[in-house]
Amino acid sequence: MTEPSGAARDPEAVSRFVESFAAQLVEAGLPRMPARVFAALLASDTGVLTSAELGERLRISPAAVSGAVRYLAQQHMVSREREPGSRRERYRVHGDQWYEALTNREAVIRRWEDALREGVTSLGEDTPAGRRLAETLAFFEFVEKEVEAMMGRWRVYREERFGRG
């Protein structure tokens, strides 16, 4: 599977972008290899690459690709699919990958909220630790509501700007 040849690109410039953006993702907390694989998928015109294509572009082993894709799939940042008529898998980054990743984080925040509520009850609302946990809980509740509202605004903006929902 090769990329369609739209505009001619400088492969070195593309590689520099991939490594630069991956470095930014690593700085934000994403492991290095998943960051590189994700950036390579984003930089591909189709948003779809096979393990061999990723390995070739990034000069990494099939095992490194596999581990990176497993991590990215768990984070809802990429999906796996079968190449039509083949047993080979290909990996796809979606236009809504940021939405999906953030939505996945909301589920984690809700679990933290449940744990914090239990902590406040266990420690007592009137203790210093209980008050600290209650404030942390209030922060996460606030963030959850703000993210939900923001994602609603994003869907409207995306539809207006890109014409898809």
Side-chain angles (χ1 to χ4, degrees), residues 33-34 37-38 41 49-51 54 60 62-81 89-92:
M33 203 55 65
V37 166
F38 185 72
L41 285 165
L49 296 170
T50 65
S51 179
L54 284 164
I60 59 176
V65 171
S66 178
V69 168
R70 183 174 34 259
Y71 177 89
L72 292 168
Q74 289 171 345
Q75 301 303 311
H76 305 280
M77 294 174 75
V78 301
S79 60
R80 298 172 190 248
E81 54 190 47
E89 281 190 331
R90 57 188 187 180
Y91 311 108
R92 176 180 302 275

Side-chain angles (χ1 to χ4, degrees), residues 82-151:
R82 291 274 180 210
E83 213 172 87
S86 171
R87 290 180 18 178
R88 290 191 327 172
E89 281 190 331
R90 57 188 187 180
Y91 311 108
R92 176 180 302 275
V93 66
H94 298 278
D96 62 353
Q97 75 276 352
W98 301 113
Y99 175 85
E100 290 297 324
L102 196 52
T103 300
N104 185 47
R105 293 287 185 247
E106 284 185 77
V108 171
I109 289 173
R110 281 191 292 278
R111 289 195 305 270
W112 290 351
E113 289 172 358
D114 291 342
L116 287 164
R117 276 186 203 92
E118 186 177 315
V120 169
T121 300
S122 298
L123 296 168
E125 291 182 43
D126 296 330
T127 67
R131 284 191 296 276
R132 188 170 45 252
L133 290 183
E135 184 176 340
T136 303
L137 171 60
F139 171 76
F140 285 125
E141 290 170 339
F142 174 82
V143 166
E144 184 179 8
K145 286 178 186 160
E146 289 298 309
V147 167
E148 185 178 319
M150 179 182 63
M151 295 315 286

Side-chain angles (χ1 to χ4, degrees), residues 154-165:
W154 163 248
R155 286 188 290 276
V156 170
Y157 177 80
R158 181 181 184 195
E159 178 70 31
E160 290 170 355
R161 180 142 187 211
F162 299 104
R164 56 188 158 137

